[in-house]
Amino acid sequence: ADQYIDVVFHSKGNSEKQLQITDLLGQIIYTKKVNSERSIRIATNDFTAGLYFINVASGINSSTKKFVVQHSN
């Protein structure tokens, strides 16, 4: 990612989801509650270059993925 990432939700229904981005140290960088959106765009231009984890939780279900922020000069 350079300027943004797109997050697409594949869950059925309009259940509330909690989205959280953490860095390698476990510090929360970004958090958002999502309801009926099918996808959202998150700006990463203010993130320091490096590895991050994005976690999406809905009820008892949770999914974590990693992504890398690299800024072009």
Side-chain angles (χ1 to χ4, degrees):
D2 182 15
Q3 296 180 350
Y4 61 86
I5 61 169
D6 289 318
V7 181
V8 178
F9 304 105
H10 296 287
S11 61
K12 294 180 169 60
N14 291 335
S15 62
E16 181 177 275
K17 294 169 272 306
Q18 179 70 33
L19 187 142
Q20 184 172 285
I21 296 176
T22 55
D23 64 12
L24 275 175
L25 300 176
Q27 296 178 323
I28 298 171
I29 305 299
Y30 179 91
T31 184
K32 181 178 177 90
K33 287 188 180 189
V34 180
N35 288 310
S36 59
E37 295 96 327
R38 302 289 291 156
S39 66
I40 62 169
R41 179 169 281 185
I42 301 170
T44 58
N45 50 331
D46 289 335
F47 289 22
T48 303
L51 181 65
Y52 292 87
F53 299 93
I54 184 165
N55 177 270
V56 179
S58 177
I60 61 170
N61 297 316
S62 177
S63 177
T64 302
K65 304 288 183 189
K66 63 183 174 181
F67 68 96
V68 175
V69 173
Q70 295 177 327
H71 299 291
S72 56
N73 294 332

